[in-house]
Amino acid sequence: SEGESYDIAYERAAQFALSKGTLIVAAAGNDSRRSIGRFSPVASPADCPSILAVAAIDSELQIGDFSNRAINSSGLVDIAAPGVEIYSSWSMPARYRTLSGTSMATPHVAGIAALLFEKYPDATPGIIENELRKNALSLPLLVEDVGAGLSIAP
């Protein structure tokens, strides 16, 4: 909850993953209700310094009503991706469903990170994170909400 520090166990795991060449990307969380003035901090484990936190934006490049934000020292939002009304796979028999959430945005960023690792096979996770940030489309929104902006594929 608000004002609490990140979970050190998740942070240690993320640091270990980074040391082995793995970048961890996590959903910022869906606890906000911006339309009624309720803003929730970045959720665990995305609030860890060594984990990339992803916010959700809609097709109009506006922040999702539910998307959490950086509050005080609760963890940063690093980047944003499409996460509102995303056509996605679903369990049988439905097969597909339109879903919204930072968990819909996170795979976009993970996929772009994979493309960057393919493009730069000798890159460290830090280099890939820098490329993600550098390639992001700056948005006229608060950095607390979208970090570097909209994640863009190379």
Side-chain angles (χ1 to χ4, degrees), residues 39-52:
F39 300 90
S40 293
V42 174
S44 182
D47 61 346
C48 291
S50 298
I51 296 176
L52 209 63

Side-chain angles (χ1 to χ4, degrees), residues 32-127:
S32 294
R33 293 297 169 264
R34 293 160 175 274
S35 55
I36 59 168
R38 191 170 93 215
F39 300 90
S40 293
V42 174
S44 182
D47 61 346
C48 291
S50 298
I51 296 176
L52 209 63
V54 182
I57 58 170
D58 65 20
S59 60
E60 305 292 315
L61 301 181
Q62 296 301 306
I63 190 76
D65 187 56
F66 51 81
S67 193
N68 290 355
R69 71 165 18 160
I71 297 176
N72 302 325
S73 59
S74 67
L76 300 176
V77 169
D78 294 293
I79 203 157
V84 178
E85 297 182 7
I86 303 299
Y87 189 64
S88 184
S89 57
W90 194 252
S91 57
M92 294 295 281
R95 288 200 174 140
Y96 302 101
R97 189 171 161 196
T98 299
L99 303 164
S100 295
T102 55
S103 290
M104 292 289 100
T106 301
H108 284 90
V109 178
I112 292 168
L115 290 171
L116 289 166
F117 272 113
E118 182 179 48
K119 184 175 180 180
Y120 305 110
D122 297 325
T124 64
I127 289 170

